[in-house]
Amino acid sequence: MTLKSSIKVSSSIAAVSVLAALGFSASTWASDEELKLTIATEAGDRESPQGLAVKRISDIVEEQSDGRITMNVFYQGEIGGPQELFDQLVRGNIDLFLGWPQTSYDERLGVLTLPYLTLGWDEALDAYGKGGWISETIDPILSDIGLEYLGPFPEGFGGIATADTYATNYEDAQGIKLRSQPIFPLPQTIQAMGFQAVPIDWSEVYTSIQTGVVDGDSSNVIYWDYTYFNDLLDYFVHSKHNFSFYTFLMNQDAWDALDEEDRGIIADAVEVVINEQFENAKAEDEKWIQQAQEDGMEYIEPSDEEMKDWIERVRETVWVEAEESLGEDVMSAVREHASEPK
């Protein structure tokens, strides 16, 4: 189905949004109105954790509304890449979205991928949870660009997946080319760790590794590198330089156009999925670490000394560079709350 088709699917909510913008109260639209919404995930097919999450939200919403609210669900690559999907969300052509907020709208969103903010699972889940300090930092930023933040979808700590060779320290990383997501400050982080960062969109990663444009992938949990590139990659170094998580977002006009009951139905459905993911994320990540090793991928954890060196190098370089784009207020929150290396 084309993006044009998906726009038509959202016509009910779009009409409500227009009337709300003209001054009609959203509360005048009673909960007996039939609504058709669009939900999309930027990453993951139907059987991926992300794909299953958006489908489950759709099913819960339809069930709780007795079939009155239905959702068209789109998976990775079906109606566009990450930037295009985020653009369509901001414009209101997509109602709900699971993915990474793009920094093209506000560079302060780079705090979501700022390296080495948290260093352990308990700290990460507290920080990225709905009431955590990271969530409270990004909530008003997302609101400024017209998005309602419904909560996080945690995956785990990212690493470095490579073919033929690997590195667990700055010196050995020299000359190894890694694909990086083209989102600030992930390329800068990879550079600060000693690797050569090559920003590449997800859809081109397999070919880039296969043809030798890069030696591997970076900043993803092992699930993605094992599931999509296991035949190309030999090593996974768990550098844990970023905590990988996605965000559930809704277009603000679409959210405001709903009445209180329908907002509750959607928010509750998202909360169910988020709570399940928070309970299961660590075990899910560990499952894929084990599976990858059983299928021949070597899993490597840097020593405490190597980790400390990477943390210090990256924070001294990337955090200072991030000050200009993230702003003093955001960086003050970072320095106040970020985990301290042991």
Side-chain angles (χ1 to χ4, degrees):
M1 185 177 289
T2 65
L3 182 57
K4 184 176 181 181
S5 300
S6 74
I7 294 172
K8 290 181 179 178
V9 169
S10 297
S11 59
S12 297
I13 193 68
V16 177
S17 300
V18 169
L19 288 171
L22 291 174
F24 290 88
S25 171
S27 62
T28 63
W29 291 82
S31 292
D32 59 356
E33 292 288 335
E34 290 190 4
L35 297 175
K36 292 185 178 181
L37 308 178
T38 300
I39 185 170
T41 179
E42 72 171 48
D45 58 22
R46 294 170 185 268
E47 299 305 317
S48 69
Q50 285 77 4
L52 294 172
V54 292
K55 181 62 168 64
R56 179 147 164 72
I57 288 171
S58 173
D59 291 343
I60 293 173
V61 167
E62 185 169 355
E63 178 183 353
Q64 293 301 310
S65 66
D66 295 324
R68 184 176 51 78
I69 305 175
T70 57
M71 294 186 179
N72 268 21
V73 182
F74 294 98
Y75 304 93
Q76 174 184 304
E78 290 186 343
I79 55 173
Q83 182 67 59
E84 182 181 3
L85 287 175
F86 196 72
D87 290 341
Q88 295 304 323
L89 175 71
V90 173
R91 293 170 187 163
N93 296 331
I94 293 172
D95 300 303
L96 292 107
F97 171 76
L98 175 59
W100 281 0
Q102 298 292 313
T103 55
S104 53
Y105 285 86
D106 194 318
E107 288 188 336
R108 292 177 297 168
L109 291 173
V111 69
L112 293 173
T113 48
L114 199 64
Y116 292 121
L117 288 180
T118 59
L119 305 176
W121 268 98
D122 290 341
E123 296 169 333
L125 294 181
D126 284 344
Y128 289 91
K130 192 66 170 74
W133 71 266
I134 293 176
S135 293
E136 290 183 349
T137 299
I138 65 167
D139 199 359
I141 300 173
L142 291 166
S143 180
D144 285 347
I145 60 177
L147 299 174
E148 178 73 19
Y149 178 51
L150 298 178
F153 187 85
E155 287 191 303
F157 288 94
I160 307 294
T162 52
D164 300 327
T165 187
Y166 69 90
T168 58
N169 57 70
Y170 180 87
E171 289 75 19
D172 292 345
Q174 302 297 311
I176 298 177
K177 296 179 293 183
L178 293 179
R179 174 263 176 169
S180 174
Q181 296 93 329
I183 301 174
F184 176 86
L186 288 178
Q188 291 79 3
T189 299
I190 298 306
Q191 291 285 152
M193 295 171 72
F195 301 96
Q196 180 180 341
V198 184
I200 297 173
D201 284 332
W202 176 253
S203 61
E204 301 172 10
V205 177
Y206 187 93
T207 302
S208 297
I209 298 173
Q210 186 180 46
T211 58
V213 173
V214 292
D215 300 305
D217 182 40
S218 66
S219 306
N220 279 311
V221 294
I222 200 170
Y223 166 82
W224 297 102
D225 292 316
Y226 164 71
T227 303
Y228 286 85
F229 316 125
N230 187 42
D231 59 326
L232 301 176
L233 301 176
D234 303 308
Y235 306 100
F236 186 87
V237 175
H238 214 168
S239 53
K240 301 181 181 179
H241 57 277
N242 66 304
F243 187 73
S244 181
F245 80 107
Y246 291 81
T247 54
F248 284 107
L249 303 169
M250 187 164 182
N251 176 273
Q252 190 69 60
D253 288 339
W255 176 260
D256 291 343
L258 298 173
D259 67 13
E260 185 175 351
E261 181 178 339
D262 287 349
R263 288 181 197 170
I265 290 173
I266 292 171
D268 289 348
V270 172
E271 186 174 0
V272 166
V273 171
I274 287 173
N275 288 341
E276 291 174 349
Q277 184 65 13
F278 265 79
E279 291 177 6
N280 301 329
K282 184 178 180 180
E284 181 77 8
D285 191 39
E286 290 173 345
K287 179 188 80 173
W288 290 108
I289 289 172
Q290 182 64 35
Q291 184 67 55
Q293 292 178 89
E294 291 174 359
D295 285 351
M297 182 178 282
E298 187 172 347
Y299 174 78
I300 302 157
E301 292 188 281
S303 68
D304 291 344
E305 183 178 346
E306 288 172 324
M307 282 292 291
K308 186 175 181 180
D309 181 67
W310 257 344
I311 292 169
E312 290 177 353
R313 284 180 180 275
V314 169
R315 286 184 173 184
E316 288 173 1
T317 303
V318 180
W319 283 20
V320 172
E321 185 178 351
E323 186 91 42
E324 182 177 349
S325 58
L326 300 187
E328 184 178 344
D329 290 345
V330 172
M331 287 307 300
S332 293
V334 167
R335 292 191 171 95
E336 179 182 353
H337 296 288
S339 303
E340 289 296 327
K342 297 179 181 179

